């Protein structure tokens, strides 16, 4: 009897596995037929196109069949993290394949897992040929020698590097002159405001469109933030009897968790407007300036906002997540990046508008100017084909495809225009983001090594201050620590 | 089971009632989180914000299942608070089943062989080898992960057997056994210290006399192992199989580094990938996540439903050993 | 299967017998043994021994995970650095808190539950229900509780509000994150542990209790002088396994406690358990892979010591029932 029991169990396990595999395969019929020649990713690509446009899909299939006949169509693997952009890059890839005969296999991972996977992949050589690179990470990659310099390719093909928005391309040049990426897009910061909450407070969009700010009294930003903060009894932050310990609606909220060294959608538009720079020189600085009064004063002001109840505290922010709070209509103003335009303009819960970030003591507003690029890994077995794909993504053709999608701003002006139009066509005014580019009030993402550890150390120090458990000296001590780290 | 110690030994009826109430609360707490995932999976993302404490689905919908299981248009998915990056749960479930089944079969069989040697054979250094095997219990998996990873990658290259060429498997175009099912199973397939220890203990308890007859008949070790020891050890083997299956199903760290390709990605890794889909956003796609979570739990819940008694017995059995 | 529990606890005592016994037929040596041991030997060498040696060697090097081939030897530097590393001591302290809360609550609850069950019922449904959390993957459990503890949409916050308390962001609070993570683990393992104890209770002869009650002993006295001593071997075994597991907690923290980039939590490093810190050094920090290996070596040595101590306790108590 017991012998039978074992076999029954094993049989059941096997049967379950077989049934499941049948289910998995059956969910997309095309899968099994073409399994030997193509990977799942390529199939999904096809499936997606089928839905988007039948005519185009059949063209692609023809193109693929031709290559299969030729039998020499190289395949390039490509990773990205933004699922919102994936459909448009699939489109780019299809066009590219039709043009060059090179297949592209696109894989998308969530942000955190993207970098974990890439890191583990570099350790073992199991990385894609091409991947979307980030300024915070690429110094480390260069240091380890895992990226292919593009200079020779660029020279050989005579590719122009000056067709992008000024400054974007240079971010990807190492101190020795090697270039490790061609820009694909850019992003800037604006304030997202909840219009319904403005109305409740008797404010209009005009009242928040030209804000100013300083770390001493917070300027008009703090004034409207106070007016937009509401406690459980309905008392506003600028009225008597406001209970800072029981706030149901925050006037101003950092989008980034406080424990973040770069504060792209947290403190950076304020510290920038306060005339502060992250590094002694950027890119490739060797000394961080977190100890400066311009910086610590700004963080001190943010801590005071928390204390006054105009901004959520660390626990609320990290615990719930700024986007959830904003979406629930519990915060009125929040800085956010241009890559989130789509998220907020299509939100069902909030009526969001975008206004420029405040003007600071420096006399200007400021926005971090971050740009992504595509890099080629040294593990790539076919760097030539990889380069063709990188070149295509950096070309007006692909960037216009991406731009027309209205998800991000491409790095080429013609693409960015299309993006702006696509947003406008959807009734979204994005001038609050582009104003930084038009007026030249951008500063670039800090580029230096050890970003991971810097982020841990500084993030904790900043959060300590916000939690009221530390002061400026906490931050300068952490600054010494990160500079020691940079010095090696 | 034999008559339990002290059953029916509780004094007053009130005492019994209180005890039952406590037990009921514990049972409720065991189920509630799973129920909550189900309820959330049937709600909309805006609904759970509006009525966070409603025990029933808010704005009830099956769309979350559609987008997690199928492939609806991207616009609708985004409107529901998701991204374009949903994964195929069914594929991940299938992968988990393949991996867990493979590991279970290999581990139980090979560890039974080893346990037989440790329990029944006499050879020099037996205790030493056994102790060495056991000491592997304290090796943190994170410790051996990277070297294992490197080894898996080089396997194809360094051994060079044509029989080990796994390029016909999905996703294995260049990195050896990385992103292959054998690669995911390998570190657990041949032995784990616990499995050997557990089975050895059981084999030691089997009376020698049963074997004597076979020995007189001139049966060799292989025959004794297959014809006597294995059939007599079915309860232990079933117990081990269940524990191994559940552990393999739940394994995260190794498949997290060695099996990221979608064609072999198991549910634990897929779920974790699902968590942080969009960059910079701190708003999780709760309903999508809970749907995926629930779907991922269904197969193992089914298995549990079918084998409930066996699993419970197995755990108790492993405790006594 | 219903009679599965045939071999009784303490069979280890009888286990020693065959080894010393005469059975001359078994003088087979390696010639035979190797065929039985070959697969597991390969597994042991390839997946445990060699990687361990490789990892120990890495702990004496400065090496980037991105390029393991380019390693430089640094002697004992990684180890001396660890001793002065405040983050390491913090993570050791955090882990210890987690272990104490987790093991403490879990053991007491499970023991109570087991006693309760052994008195009330052998119902399969009861036992299966409390075992349910155990079969769910850690990652899944982590995500489940990430949602349940969410201060805005989570149900725990709603319960707090209902009773007039302010909701607490458990997983983002420096005070609560470790207790919350420990409780998640308690939820997952209490039923499982209770079943192990329950099985142990079944092996205690009923007549001992009968004799006890004839002597007029109270329930509590019998629990202390009969149940606990006779349950001690299994208690010790469960503790060893739970301790080793708890010191290596990772999945739940990664899924719910944050820390691994981007997820909410890891408030001021208060949920940065040892495993997470090793992970961060290995994967997220630049050129710290050797450092991570050194941390892991220290953890391994520590676990070995704990296990040996516990096993000694276990062995000492083994004869209680025999």
């Amino acid at each position: 009897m017991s012998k039978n029991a074992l076999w029954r169990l094993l049989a059941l396990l096997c049967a379950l596995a077989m049934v499941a595999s049948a289910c998995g395969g059956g969910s997309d019929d095309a899968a099994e037929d073409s399994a030997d020649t193509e990977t799942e990713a390529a199939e999904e690509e096809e499936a997606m196109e089928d839905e988007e446009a039948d005519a185009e899909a059949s063209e692609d299939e023809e193109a693929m069949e031709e290559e299969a006949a030729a039998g020499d169509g190289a395949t390039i693997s490509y990773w990205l993290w933004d699922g919102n952009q994936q459909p448009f890059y699939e489109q780019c890839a299809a066009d590219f394949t039709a043009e060059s005969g090179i297949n592209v296999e696109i894989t998308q991972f969530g942000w955190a897992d993207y970098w974990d996977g890439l890191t583990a992949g570099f350790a073992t050589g199991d990385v894609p040929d091409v991947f979307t690179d980030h300024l915070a990470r690429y110094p480390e990659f260069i240091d380890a020698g895992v990226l292919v310099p593009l200079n020779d390719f660029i020279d050989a093909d005579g590719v122009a590097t000056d067709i992008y928005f000024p400054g974007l391309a240079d971010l990807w040049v190492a101190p020795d002159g090697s270039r490790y990426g061609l820009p694909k897009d850019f992003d800037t910061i604006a304030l997202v405001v909840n219009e319904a909450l403005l109305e409740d407070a008797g404010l209009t969009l005009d009242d928040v469109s030209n804000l100013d700010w300083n770390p001493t009294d917070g300027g008009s930003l703090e004034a409207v933030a106070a007016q937009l903060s509401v406690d459980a009894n309905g008392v506003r932050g600028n009225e008597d009897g406001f209970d800072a310990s029981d706030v149901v609606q925050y006037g101003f909220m950092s989008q980034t968790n406080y424990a973040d060294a770069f504060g792209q959608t947290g403190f950076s538009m304020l510290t920038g407007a306060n005339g502060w720079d992250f590094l002694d020189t950027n890119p490739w600085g060797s000394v961080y300036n977190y100890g400066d009064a311009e910086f610590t004063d700004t963080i001190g002001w943010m801590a005071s906002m928390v204390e006054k109840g105009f901004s959520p505290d660390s626990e609320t922010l990290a615990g719930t997540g700024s986007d959830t709070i904003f979406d629930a209509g519990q915060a009125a103003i929040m800085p956010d990046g241009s890559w989130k335009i789509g998220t907020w303009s299509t939100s069902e819960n909030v009526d969001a508008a975008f206004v420029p970030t405040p003007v600071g003591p420096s006399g200007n507003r400021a926005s971090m100017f971050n740009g992504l690029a595509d890099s080629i890994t040294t593990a790539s077995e076919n760097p030539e084909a990889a380069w063709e794909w990188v070149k295509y993504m950096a070309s007006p053709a692909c960037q216009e495809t991406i731009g027309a999608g209205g998800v991000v701003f491409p790095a080429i002006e013609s693409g960015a225009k299309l993006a702006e139009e696509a947003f406008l066509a959807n009734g979204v005014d994005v001038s609050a983001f582009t104003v930084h580019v038009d007026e030249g009030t951008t500063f670039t993402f800090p580029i230096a090594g050890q970003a991971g550890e810097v982020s841990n150390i500084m993030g904790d120090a900043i959060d300590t201050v916000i939690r009221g458990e530390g002061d400026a000296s906490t931050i300068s001590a952490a600054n010494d620590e990160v500079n020691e780290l940079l010095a090696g | 089971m034999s008559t339990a110690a002290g059953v029916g030994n509780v004094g007053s009826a009130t005492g019994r009632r209180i005890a039952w109430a406590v037990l009921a609360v514990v049972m409720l707490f065991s189920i509630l989180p799973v129920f909550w995932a189900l309820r959330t999976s049937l709600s909309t993302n805006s609904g759970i914000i509006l009525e966070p404490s409603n025990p029933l689905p808010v704005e009830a919908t099956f769309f979350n299942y559609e987008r997690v299981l199928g492939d609806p248009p991207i616009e609708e998915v985004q409107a529901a608070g998701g991204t374009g990056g949903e994964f195929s749960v069914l594929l991940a479930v299938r992968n988990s089943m393949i991996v867990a089944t493979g590991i279970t079969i290999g581990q139980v069989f090979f560890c039974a062989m080893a346990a037989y040697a440790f329990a029944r054979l006499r050879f020099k250094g037996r205790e030493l080898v056994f102790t060495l095997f056991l000491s592997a219990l304290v090796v943190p998996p994170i410790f051996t992960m990277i070297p294992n990873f490197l080894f898996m990658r080089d396997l194809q290259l360094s051994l060079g057997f044509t029989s080990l060429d796994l390029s016909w498997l999905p996703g294995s175009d260049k990195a050896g056994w990385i992103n292959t099912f054998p690669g995911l199973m390998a570190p657990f397939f041949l032995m784990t210290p616990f499995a050997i220890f557990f089975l050895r203990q059981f084999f030691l308890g089997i009376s020698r006399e049963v074997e004597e007859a076979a020995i007189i008949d001139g049966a060799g070790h292989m025959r004794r192992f297959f014809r006597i020891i294995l059939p007599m050890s079915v309860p232990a083997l079933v117990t081990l199989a269940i524990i191994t299956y559940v552990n393999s199903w739940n394994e995260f760290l190794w498949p997290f580094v060695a099996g990221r390709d979608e064609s072999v990605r198991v549910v634990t890794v897929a779920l974790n990938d699902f968590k942080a889909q969009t960059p910079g956003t701190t708003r999780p796609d709760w309903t999508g996540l809970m749907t995926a979570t629930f779907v991922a739990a269904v197969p193992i819940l089914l298995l549990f439903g079918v084998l409930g008694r066996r699993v419970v017995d197995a755990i108790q059995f492993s405790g006594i050993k | 299967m219903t009679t599965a529990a045939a071999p009784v606890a303490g069979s280890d005592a009888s286990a020693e017998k065959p080894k010393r016994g005469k059975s001359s037929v078994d003088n087979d040596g390696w010639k035979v043994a190797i065929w039985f041991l070959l697969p597991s030997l390969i597994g042991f060498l390839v997946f445990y021994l060699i990687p361990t040696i490789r990892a120990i060697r890495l702990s004496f090097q400065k090496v980037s995970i991105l390029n393991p081939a380019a390693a430089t030897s640094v002697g004992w530097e990684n180890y001396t650095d660890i001793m002065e590393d405040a983050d390491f001591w913090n993570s050791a302290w955090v882990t210890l808190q987690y272990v104490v809360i987790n093991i403490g609550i879990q053991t007491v609850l499970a023991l109570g539950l087991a006693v309760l069950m052994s008195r009330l019922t052998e119902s399969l449904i009861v036992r299966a229900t409390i075992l349910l959390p155990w079969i769910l993957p850690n990652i899944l459990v982590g995500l489940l509780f990430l949602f349940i503890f969410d201060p805005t949409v989570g149900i725990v916050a709603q319960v707090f509000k209902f009773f007039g308390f302010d909701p607490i962001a458990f997983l983002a609070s420096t005070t609560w994150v470790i207790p919350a993570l420990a409780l998640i683990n308690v939820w997952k393992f209490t039923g499982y542990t209770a079943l192990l104890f329950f099985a142990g209770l079944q092996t205690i002869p009923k007549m001992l209790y009968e004799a006890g009650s004839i002597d007029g002993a109270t329930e509590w006295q019998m629990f202390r002088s009969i149940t606990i001593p006779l349950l001690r071997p299994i208690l010790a075994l469960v503790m060893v396994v739970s301790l080793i597991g708890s010191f290596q907690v990772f999945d739940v923290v990664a899924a719910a406690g944050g820390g691994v980039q981007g997820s909410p939590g890891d408030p001021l490093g208060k949920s940065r358990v040892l495993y997470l810190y090793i992970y961060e050094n290995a994967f997220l920090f630049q050129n710290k892979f050797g450092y991570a290996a050194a941390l892991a070596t220290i953890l391994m040595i520590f676990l070995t010591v704990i296990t040996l101590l516990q096993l000694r306790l276990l062995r000492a108590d083994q004869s209680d029932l025999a």
Side-chain angles (χ1 to χ4, degrees):
Chain A
M1 148 218 134
S2 27
K3 188 179 176 183
N4 284 341
L6 176 66
W7 288 117
R8 273 214 304 273
L9 176 67
L10 288 179
L12 180 70
L13 293 180
C14 293
L16 274 174
M18 279 189 287
V19 167
S21 55
C23 293
S27 65
D28 44 351
D29 292 336
E32 288 180 353
D33 302 343
S34 54
D36 23 356
T37 50
E38 281 160 30
T39 65
E40 316 257 353
E43 283 145 24
E44 269 170 33
E45 189 181 313
E46 267 178 59
M48 196 168 287
E49 280 152 17
D50 280 346
E51 275 167 25
E52 277 173 8
D54 282 330
E56 251 176 40
S58 63
E59 265 174 39
D60 294 333
E61 269 163 25
E62 270 167 41
M64 281 181 185
E65 273 162 27
E66 273 167 38
E67 278 151 36
D72 62 346
T75 299
I76 293 299
S77 51
Y78 177 60
W79 284 11
L80 50 77
W81 66 74
D82 189 349
N84 290 327
Q85 295 181 42
Q86 189 176 4
F88 307 106
Y89 276 100
E90 301 277 8
Q91 184 57 49
C92 268
D95 298 344
F96 171 70
T97 304
E99 195 177 285
S100 67
I102 301 167
N103 294 305
V104 182
E105 193 182 290
I106 298 181
T107 315
Q108 183 264 351
F109 296 105
W111 167 258
D113 299 303
Y114 181 86
W115 296 106
D116 292 344
L118 210 52
T119 306
F122 276 124
T124 61
D126 183 27
V127 279
D129 299 284
V130 181
F131 69 99
T132 308
D133 207 348
H134 193 278
L135 291 168
R137 304 305 290 262
Y138 99 107
E140 196 178 335
F141 296 146
I142 298 176
D143 186 49
V146 293
L147 300 184
V148 178
L150 303 180
N151 304 49
D152 292 346
F153 291 124
I154 291 172
D155 294 346
D157 289 4
V159 171
T161 55
D162 56 1
I163 58 170
Y164 309 102
F165 284 101
L168 284 181
D170 297 340
L171 292 171
W172 297 92
V173 180
D176 68 356
S178 302
R179 189 182 292 273
Y180 289 99
L182 284 179
K184 58 195 293 172
D185 57 24
F186 75 84
D187 50 68
T188 56
I189 310 300
L191 300 179
V192 197
V193 295
N194 182 327
E195 290 194 84
L197 301 186
L198 282 188
E199 209 172 298
D200 292 347
L203 292 167
T204 65
L205 212 50
D206 285 343
D207 295 324
V208 293
S209 293
N210 278 299
L211 294 170
D212 63 78
W213 169 84
N214 64 73
T216 322
D217 65 6
S220 59
L221 175 64
E222 182 167 339
V224 297
Q227 201 173 340
L228 286 164
S229 300
V230 180
D231 73 8
N233 299 319
V235 181
R236 293 192 173 270
N238 58 349
E239 297 165 356
D240 287 340
F242 175 73
D243 180 3
S245 66
D246 196 5
V247 180
V248 294
Q249 178 185 317
Y250 302 100
F252 178 78
M253 173 172 66
S254 164
Q255 196 273 337
T256 334
N257 284 351
Y258 295 115
D260 185 310
F262 304 112
Q264 188 174 11
T265 51
F267 59 73
S268 74
M269 77 293 311
L270 300 178
T271 52
N274 204 16
W276 179 77
D277 294 313
F278 279 86
L279 291 158
D280 53 347
T281 51
N282 195 32
W284 309 109
S286 52
V287 179
Y288 274 106
N289 297 326
Y290 287 110
D292 292 0
E294 286 92 349
F295 182 79
T296 54
D297 287 352
T298 306
I299 299 301
W301 175 78
M302 289 175 76
S304 77
M305 289 289 279
V306 171
E307 209 183 321
K308 291 169 189 165
F310 303 160
S311 293
D313 60 20
S314 294
E315 289 179 15
T316 310
L317 192 58
T320 309
S322 52
D323 289 0
T324 309
I325 298 174
F326 194 82
D327 210 38
Q330 294 166 356
I333 303 177
M334 173 175 84
D336 209 344
S338 50
W339 61 91
K340 292 273 283 298
I341 294 171
T343 306
W344 296 122
S345 57
T346 59
S347 167
E348 282 177 17
N349 298 326
V350 293
D351 223 349
F354 305 103
V355 300
T357 57
V359 175
S362 70
N364 288 314
R365 29 180 138 262
S367 164
M368 197 183 264
F369 195 37
N370 184 29
L372 306 178
D374 296 301
S375 295
I376 302 176
T377 60
T378 48
S380 171
E381 284 169 356
N382 196 347
E384 284 77 22
W387 159 248
E388 292 298 326
W389 171 233
V390 169
K391 189 170 76 174
Y392 184 75
M393 281 191 285
S395 73
C398 178
Q399 301 218 346
E400 282 168 17
T401 305
I402 302 297
V407 179
V408 285
F409 292 115
I412 295 176
E413 193 156 5
S414 61
K417 276 273 160 318
L418 282 174
E420 220 168 317
E421 283 164 19
F423 283 127
L424 263 182
N426 288 326
V428 186
D429 178 5
V430 294
S431 58
F433 291 97
T434 51
V435 66
H436 289 291
V437 181
D438 297 341
E439 294 178 1
T441 51
T442 58
F443 61 93
T444 51
F445 192 93
I447 298 173
Q450 311 281 3
E453 217 167 341
V454 166
S455 206
N456 250 17
I457 297 169
M458 273 323 298
D460 280 0
I462 294 168
D463 200 12
T464 307
V465 175
I466 300 283
R467 286 172 190 257
E469 294 166 20
D471 54 21
S473 67
T474 314
I475 293 179
S476 30
N479 190 50
D480 294 344
E481 204 180 326
V482 298
N483 284 332
E484 212 174 292
L485 196 66
L486 274 195
Chain B
M1 286 286 154
S2 54
T3 358
V7 166
N9 219 4
V10 170
S12 66
T14 335
R16 282 185 77 86
R17 237 171 263 143
I18 292 172
W20 269 109
V22 172
L23 207 53
V25 168
V26 172
M27 287 170 69
L28 192 67
F29 266 95
S30 298
I31 299 174
L32 216 52
V34 180
F35 168 76
W36 205 243
L38 178 65
R39 164 264 182 194
T40 307
S41 72
L42 293 168
S43 306
T44 63
N45 263 320
S46 47
I48 57 166
I49 294 177
L50 291 175
E51 296 177 44
S53 54
N54 188 338
L56 296 174
V58 191
E59 302 174 4
T61 172
F62 280 109
F63 186 67
N64 295 313
Y65 286 87
E66 264 175 63
R67 68 194 174 100
V68 167
L69 297 175
D71 198 9
I74 182 90
E75 295 80 18
E76 288 178 36
V77 172
Q78 282 172 349
T83 68
E86 267 84 1
F87 66 99
S88 164
V89 184
L90 286 184
L91 186 66
V93 165
R94 182 202 71 169
N95 293 342
S96 277
M97 282 185 175
I98 293 174
V99 172
T101 308
I103 291 176
T104 305
I105 293 171
Q107 194 183 112
V108 171
F109 182 69
F110 292 126
C111 289
M113 285 169 64
Y116 179 79
F118 287 125
R120 280 294 195 262
L121 301 179
R122 302 186 73 191
F123 53 94
K124 230 175 148 186
R126 183 177 73 174
E127 296 308 303
L128 181 75
V129 176
F130 182 65
T131 313
L132 212 58
F133 272 26
L134 264 196
S135 68
L137 268 175
V138 295
V139 177
I142 202 170
F143 198 57
T144 50
M145 186 177 75
I146 294 298
N148 277 343
F149 199 121
L150 296 174
F151 177 71
M152 286 289 112
R153 181 196 59 176
D154 298 336
L155 201 54
Q156 193 176 344
L157 309 170
S158 60
L159 294 182
F161 301 143
T162 42
S163 61
L164 280 173
D165 180 6
L166 297 172
S167 52
W168 51 274
L169 285 166
S172 64
D173 47 344
K174 56 184 172 195
W177 279 20
I178 296 301
N179 283 329
T180 66
F181 287 123
L184 287 179
M185 296 175 199
F188 316 97
F189 191 73
L190 295 174
M191 72 92 73
T192 62
F194 170 77
I196 291 179
F197 175 73
F198 175 79
L199 288 179
R200 171 188 173 264
Q201 293 301 94
F202 189 87
F203 291 168
L204 283 175
I206 295 178
S207 157
R208 288 235 142 193
E209 279 136 36
V210 193
E211 269 181 286
E212 300 292 339
I215 295 170
I216 291 164
D217 286 352
H221 279 292
M222 279 297 167
R223 248 184 96 185
R224 271 142 69 190
F225 174 64
F226 280 106
R227 291 289 169 79
I228 297 170
I229 298 289
L230 280 192
M232 287 191 68
S233 312
V234 167
L237 296 175
V238 171
T239 300
L240 183 66
I242 286 169
I243 294 176
T244 304
Y245 196 86
V246 171
N247 283 341
S248 311
W249 187 276
N250 295 356
E251 175 68 24
F252 173 67
L253 202 56
W254 176 249
F256 182 60
V257 296
R260 303 188 61 85
D261 193 279
E262 209 185 345
S263 58
V264 297
R265 189 171 60 172
V266 297
V267 279
T268 48
V269 180
L271 274 179
N272 194 56
D273 281 355
F274 192 91
K275 183 181 63 167
Q277 272 299 337
T278 322
T281 179
T282 55
R283 175 183 59 180
D285 169 15
W286 285 123
T287 58
L289 193 59
M290 287 301 118
T291 310
T293 302
F294 188 74
V295 171
V298 164
I300 201 138
L301 290 177
L302 277 181
L303 189 76
F304 191 49
V306 174
L307 294 173
R309 170 174 293 278
R310 195 136 288 172
V311 178
V312 170
D313 285 347
I315 301 311
Q316 292 182 195
F317 181 60
S318 73
I320 299 173
K321 284 312 295 171
Chain C
M1 195 62 205
T2 38
T3 54
V8 200
S11 63
D12 223 26
S14 66
E16 299 300 307
K17 243 184 255 164
K19 193 176 62 185
R20 284 180 240 116
K22 46 185 164 81
S23 44
S24 53
V25 272
D26 268 352
N27 241 336
D28 341 82
W30 276 95
K31 238 190 223 162
V32 176
I34 191 69
W35 295 110
F36 284 93
L37 283 178
L38 197 60
S40 54
L41 260 180
I42 293 174
F44 176 71
L45 290 179
V46 169
F47 295 109
Y48 289 96
L49 192 62
I50 295 172
T52 303
I53 293 167
R54 278 176 94 169
I56 291 176
R57 207 180 62 200
L58 278 172
S59 75
F60 293 100
Q61 292 174 333
K62 179 173 181 171
V63 51
S64 163
I65 174 95
L66 297 175
N67 194 353
T72 50
S73 179
V74 293
W76 288 90
E77 193 185 304
N78 287 330
Y79 289 93
T80 49
D81 283 356
I82 287 173
M83 290 302 125
E84 293 163 15
D85 181 354
D87 284 337
F88 162 72
W89 291 109
N90 170 59
S91 66
W93 171 234
V94 165
T95 311
L96 189 67
Q97 287 174 305
Y98 171 86
V99 170
V100 169
I101 298 175
N102 178 31
I103 303 284
I105 297 181
Q106 180 181 308
T107 310
V108 171
L109 275 184
L111 199 54
L113 201 56
V115 171
L116 211 59
M117 280 195 303
S118 74
R119 291 303 176 86
L120 282 180
T121 176
E122 289 184 34
S123 156
L124 179 68
I125 296 192
V126 172
R127 285 179 289 154
T129 307
I130 63 163
L131 187 62
L132 177 75
W134 173 74
I135 62 160
L136 299 174
N138 281 327
I139 287 290
L140 201 148
V141 170
L143 294 175
L144 211 53
F145 277 90
L146 191 61
F147 178 60
I148 286 171
F149 279 135
D150 187 284
T152 309
V153 294
I155 185 65
V156 172
Q158 306 312 316
V159 173
F160 268 61
K161 275 185 196 160
F162 180 79
F163 287 106
F165 297 107
D166 281 339
I168 296 174
F170 285 97
L171 295 168
S173 150
T174 48
T175 326
W176 289 106
V177 64
I178 280 295
L181 288 171
L183 280 181
I184 294 174
N185 213 55
V186 166
W187 178 78
K188 184 170 154 64
F189 284 105
T190 295
Y192 172 75
T193 314
L195 277 189
L196 296 181
F197 291 155
F198 179 73
L201 289 176
Q202 307 263 343
T203 65
I204 299 176
K206 206 176 166 186
M207 54 180 212
L208 287 180
Y209 292 98
E210 281 160 4
S213 50
I214 289 168
D215 290 349
T218 64
E219 293 264 331
W220 177 245
Q221 281 171 335
M222 284 197 280
F223 178 75
R224 278 191 49 190
S225 53
I226 301 174
T227 310
I228 289 289
L230 291 181
L231 207 56
R232 202 175 288 168
I234 198 171
L235 214 58
L237 186 74
V238 171
M239 295 277 268
V240 174
V241 176
S242 308
L243 266 180
I244 293 180
S246 296
F247 272 107
Q248 299 185 49
V249 60
F250 177 72
D251 301 1
V252 169
V253 184
V260 181
Q261 269 198 359
S263 35
D266 192 24
L268 298 186
K270 288 293 190 290
S271 67
R272 198 175 290 148
V273 292
L274 261 178
Y275 231 64
L276 189 60
Y277 190 54
I278 295 174
Y279 179 87
E280 283 182 329
N281 273 285
F283 285 97
L284 304 181
F285 299 166
Q286 203 169 329
N287 293 326
K288 284 290 182 73
F289 191 62
Y291 194 76
L295 286 168
T297 308
I298 290 176
L299 177 62
M300 184 174 73
I301 293 169
F302 179 69
L303 290 179
T304 310
V305 171
I306 286 201
T307 310
L308 290 178
L309 281 177
Q310 294 259 359
L311 282 180
R312 173 154 292 185
L313 284 176
L314 176 75
R315 200 155 286 167
D317 287 329
Q318 203 128 54
S319 54
D320 271 15
L321 190 76

